[in-house]
Amino acid sequence: MFKCNTVWNKLAPLARASSSLCLQNARKSVLRHGRRLDMVQKAQMSSGPTGGENTLYYVLVGATFLGAGVYTYRTLSGDKERYKERIIEIASRPKQEPQATEAVAEVVAESKEAADPEPASAAVPLEPTAAHLDVPEHAPYLLIGGGTASFAAARSIRARDPGARVLIVTEESEHPYMRPPLSKELWFSDDPKVTETLHFKQWNGKERSIYFQPPSFYISPADLAKVENGGVAVLTGRKVVHMDVRENKVKLSDGAEISYEKCLIATGGVPRNLQVIERAGQEVKKRTTLFRKIEDFRSLEKISREVKSITIIGGGFLGSELACAMGRRSADPGLEVIQMFPEKGNMGKVLPEYLSNWTTEKVRKEGVNVIPDALVKNVSYKNDQLEIKLKDGRVVKTDHIVAAVGLEPSVELAKSGGLEVDSDFGGYRVNAELQARSNIWVAGDAACFYDIRLGRRRVEHHDHAVVSGRLAGENMTGANKPYWHQSMFWSDLGPDVGYEAIGIVDSSLPTVGVFAKATAKDTPKAATEQSGTGIRSESETEEVAGAFKAGTAAPPPPIQQKEDYGKGVIFYLRDKVVVGIVLWNVFNRMPIARKIIKDGEEHTDLNEVAKLFNIHED
């Protein structure tokens, strides 16, 4: 049937062309003789002008069908020969009978596929291999991604359902860990084995591991279905490459399949790279670090002890933190640390210009050669060094590059899972309960959620990963809670300068800053000693906001722009309403800032609002 259809598809255009020619000849006859053709008068068909044209018609039609017949015969003969050659080629392969049989069946199936396609589910399932023995066939709670959001969700699920069986699938080879110390405290460790132990001292001197829990906390994935009271298992080194939302199952990179009842996508994102580096070739790429994971920290820490120069491209949170960290330790090994970015100063997209300039001077004092207004034109490798050429003609030579230019949310499962990706902010669009579709939730960097105060957003910070993961876990167990939390983030430029922020902090917005003279307790180190943890978002609760009262002391004269911005509060306004707040060397006051944004009121005097943070206390 398949070949008959093929022949007809090839002959039909020829037949239609012949029919059109016949009609055209008939019309020509009408125009020439001014009368309708009398097709009944057969005697006229043997002579005269009309008869000659009909004879030509018959000749053309006959030639057409003759040519079509020859073409059909040659096509079918060629198909037959190619079929035989294919069978001979398969038979001559090394003896692997199952594969040869499948190949022959595949050739035969090609001719049947168009006429009678079979559903994909009818395929014979593969037998489990040794590599799949540790992969459970079913996980009631499946968490895709092994970061902060997934761990927070797992802990939340187990809190509400003590017997829950939770499986975390992560592409990394590590158990869940916190990312902030990778660009902060770990670089200030005196332990020469810090890359092995991954233990660090917080600013208050207390030691802590980067991992949320030791390996003994988790159960083996192979035992997930057997353990009586359930538990949390982590399947490392595997990536989910396909989602079948109708059958509630996923496919892993090694071919294994896992069915689920509830699923969380917390895939985070991947570091962006500069296009000029992508186009530069392998010699440049292998001397460039995209900083994100534990392996990146280990690699860059080793490189920083072996090379003479490292250039960090990017003036945001990550770039500035790494610059300060490596700048402070650069004096001992004789390492030159360079930081370049297109803005006028560090954190130029977040801080107002005067504070950005002050921050840049602070970074320079840490031993960093800061190059602002730097647009990279191209990167090349010459004479055993990388050569960075800027658009204004300047050339910077270095041994290694760290590209810290942002994060791209991982949305690879959108197509197979039928999930919507936000065209403006990226990430999976979710509803108020962080649900993307039935039985599927999204949390962390990959979630694009709707903020009732600030509109649709996507946030890439630790606190958001903790809170959104925790809420998603609760909703996976039937809580049905909306996400209203205003997440915060923090950044430390060493133990002496740090800030916490909340809401929309964009330097393009109007800002009002209120500053005061700093004291010895107005540092990240002092804040850590007070809270007991350097991961400051872990200890905050909304109820704390009622515990703080505005100070009664009269505020000192405002600090002039040339003075040291010791501590202060910066308000970001949109339509005269505060939509973002930065607390500069002011710590443990975030619940107050969260309440101000939540209220969404206009304030005529922000100096009075700043008193709520007690910045004028000694």
Side-chain angles (χ1 to χ4, degrees):
M1 176 63 71
F2 173 71
K3 292 187 176 182
C4 290
N5 287 337
T6 303
V7 172
W8 170 246
N9 290 335
K10 294 178 180 295
L11 292 180
L14 298 174
R16 284 194 292 270
S18 299
S19 176
S20 300
L21 180 60
C22 178
L23 292 174
Q24 290 173 3
N25 289 335
R27 292 192 187 99
K28 289 178 181 178
S29 297
V30 172
L31 293 173
R32 290 176 181 175
H33 302 286
R35 59 182 178 86
R36 296 177 61 86
L37 291 175
D38 190 355
M39 302 304 294
V40 181
Q41 297 180 3
K42 298 181 180 179
Q44 295 182 1
M45 294 177 66
S46 61
S47 62
T50 306
E53 292 179 357
N54 283 321
T55 300
L56 179 61
Y57 163 71
Y58 286 128
V59 171
L60 290 174
V61 172
T64 298
F65 276 95
L66 179 60
V70 173
Y71 177 80
T72 302
Y73 174 77
R74 294 181 63 182
T75 300
L76 295 178
S77 298
D79 288 346
K80 184 177 180 180
E81 291 299 325
R82 283 190 292 272
Y83 179 82
K84 288 181 179 180
E85 291 174 1
R86 175 64 170 159
I87 296 300
I88 293 172
E89 189 270 333
I90 292 172
S92 64
R93 290 178 180 176
K95 291 185 178 181
Q96 296 179 356
E97 295 181 359
Q99 287 85 344
T101 303
E102 291 175 6
V104 174
E106 185 178 318
V107 173
V108 176
E110 288 178 359
S111 62
K112 296 181 179 180
E113 187 177 3
D116 187 20
E118 293 184 2
S121 60
V124 178
L126 296 173
E127 293 294 330
T129 63
H132 299 166
L133 293 179
D134 62 334
V135 180
E137 296 182 354
H138 180 74
Y141 295 97
L142 177 65
L143 313 183
I144 304 175
T148 300
S150 274
F151 181 79
R155 190 162 49 185
S156 179
I157 291 170
R158 291 279 295 171
R160 288 178 54 87
D161 183 1
R165 305 177 193 278
V166 182
L167 177 65
I168 297 175
V169 180
T170 173
E171 191 177 357
E172 295 189 53
S173 59
E174 309 286 347
H175 285 81
Y177 61 90
M178 61 189 80
R179 298 190 190 276
L182 293 178
S183 59
K184 297 182 178 72
E185 293 93 339
L186 281 174
W187 288 94
F188 293 88
S189 174
D190 296 327
D191 185 1
K193 297 183 178 180
V194 65
T195 55
E196 301 174 13
T197 65
L198 295 175
H199 282 73
F200 62 93
K201 287 185 178 181
Q202 301 180 114
W203 303 137
N204 60 359
K206 294 181 180 179
E207 190 171 281
R208 182 173 182 175
S209 171
I210 196 173
Y211 296 100
F212 289 110
Q213 291 290 347
S216 58
F217 171 83
Y218 305 97
I219 62 176
S220 169
D223 298 332
L224 185 62
K226 307 172 187 177
V227 179
E228 182 178 356
N229 296 321
V232 179
V234 181
L235 193 62
T236 59
R238 312 292 174 87
K239 182 179 181 180
V240 175
V241 297
H242 186 273
M243 292 191 72
D244 187 342
V245 295
R246 294 184 177 180
E247 298 295 330
N248 280 5
K249 63 182 180 181
V250 299
K251 185 176 181 180
L252 306 185
S253 52
D254 60 0
E257 292 186 347
I258 304 173
S259 61
Y260 62 85
E261 295 172 21
K262 305 289 178 64
C263 178
L264 172 70
I265 300 177
T267 48
V270 294
R272 291 192 185 102
N273 198 358
L274 293 172
Q275 291 186 358
V276 292
I277 294 178
E278 291 286 353
R279 298 192 301 262
Q282 290 302 319
E283 290 296 331
V284 173
K285 287 182 181 179
K286 70 182 183 181
R287 291 171 175 80
T288 301
T289 296
L290 303 180
F291 197 87
R292 174 70 173 172
K293 305 174 182 179
I294 286 179
E295 61 190 60
D296 300 325
F297 165 72
R298 286 172 169 157
S299 173
L300 187 59
E301 202 277 341
K302 183 175 182 292
I303 290 170
S304 69
R305 297 183 182 278
E306 297 174 344
V307 301
K308 296 181 179 180
S309 173
I310 291 180
T311 297
I312 301 167
I313 302 177
F317 305 105
L318 178 61
S320 298
E321 289 172 359
L322 286 175
C324 281
M326 285 191 284
R328 175 164 288 200
R329 61 183 291 184
S330 64
D332 296 334
L335 174 68
E336 180 188 18
V337 179
I338 304 169
Q339 184 188 16
M340 60 174 61
F341 41 79
E343 296 81 25
K344 294 183 180 298
N346 286 78
M347 310 300 301
K349 293 183 178 180
V350 175
L351 300 176
E353 185 174 349
Y354 62 89
L355 196 55
S356 172
N357 294 336
W358 186 91
T359 305
T360 301
E361 293 305 315
K362 165 64 181 174
V363 175
R364 283 179 173 142
K365 289 179 181 179
E366 294 290 346
V368 180
N369 178 14
V370 181
I371 306 176
D373 298 310
L375 291 170
V376 180
K377 183 178 181 180
N378 60 61
V379 183
S380 59
Y381 180 69
K382 297 179 181 179
N383 301 323
D384 296 329
Q385 271 196 317
L386 297 175
E387 192 173 278
I388 306 173
K389 188 173 182 180
L390 305 182
K391 287 192 175 181
D392 60 6
R394 289 178 292 176
V395 176
V396 177
K397 294 183 179 181
T398 187
D399 295 322
H400 196 83
I401 291 176
V402 180
V405 291
L407 192 74
E408 194 70 33
S410 296
V411 291
E412 298 172 351
L413 297 175
K415 185 175 182 180
S416 62
L419 306 176
E420 183 181 3
V421 176
D422 189 87
S423 58
D424 295 325
F425 300 99
Y428 300 100
R429 287 177 70 99
V430 296
N431 62 16
E433 297 173 5
L434 301 181
Q435 193 170 24
R437 59 181 301 169
S438 179
N439 297 332
I440 299 178
W441 287 259
V442 186
D445 299 345
C448 183
F449 61 98
Y450 184 77
D451 189 315
I452 59 174
R453 288 294 179 193
L454 306 177
R456 188 159 289 279
R457 304 175 64 200
R458 190 178 65 80
V459 179
E460 299 174 356
H461 297 296
H462 178 85
D463 182 56
H464 169 69
V466 171
V467 178
S468 63
R470 182 168 60 222
L471 181 68
E474 292 178 0
N475 288 340
M476 292 172 76
T477 57
N480 299 322
K481 293 181 179 180
Y483 185 74
W484 56 266
H485 180 76
Q486 284 292 340
S487 61
M488 60 86 70
F489 62 92
W490 79 98
S491 180
D492 294 336
L493 303 178
D496 301 324
V497 176
Y499 60 89
E500 300 176 354
I502 188 172
I504 300 177
V505 286
D506 186 338
S507 60
S508 64
L509 293 173
T511 61
V512 174
V514 181
F515 292 89
K517 187 176 180 179
T519 64
K521 65 180 181 180
D522 298 317
T523 63
K525 181 178 180 180
T528 303
E529 291 174 349
Q530 181 176 350
S531 64
T533 176
I535 311 298
R536 296 192 284 273
S537 61
E538 291 182 356
S539 60
E540 47 168 12
T541 57
E542 184 68 17
E543 288 73 21
V544 180
F548 296 104
K549 298 181 180 179
T552 56
I559 292 183
Q560 300 299 319
Q561 185 165 332
K562 293 182 180 181
E563 295 191 44
D564 187 8
Y565 296 99
K567 63 177 179 180
V569 183
I570 302 97
F571 300 96
Y572 294 73
L573 307 176
R574 187 170 64 189
D575 299 329
K576 299 181 180 181
V577 175
V578 177
V579 295
I581 297 175
V582 168
L583 302 181
W584 186 261
N585 271 346
V586 176
F587 306 100
N588 302 319
R589 298 291 190 274
M590 190 50 64
I592 302 174
R594 179 173 288 114
K595 188 175 186 304
I596 292 172
I597 293 179
K598 183 180 179 181
D599 291 343
E601 299 176 355
E602 291 188 20
H603 299 279
T604 56
D605 189 355
L606 289 174
N607 285 286
E608 291 296 319
V609 179
K611 292 179 182 179
L612 296 173
F613 297 92
N614 293 338
I615 63 172
H616 301 298
E617 286 184 342
D618 293 332

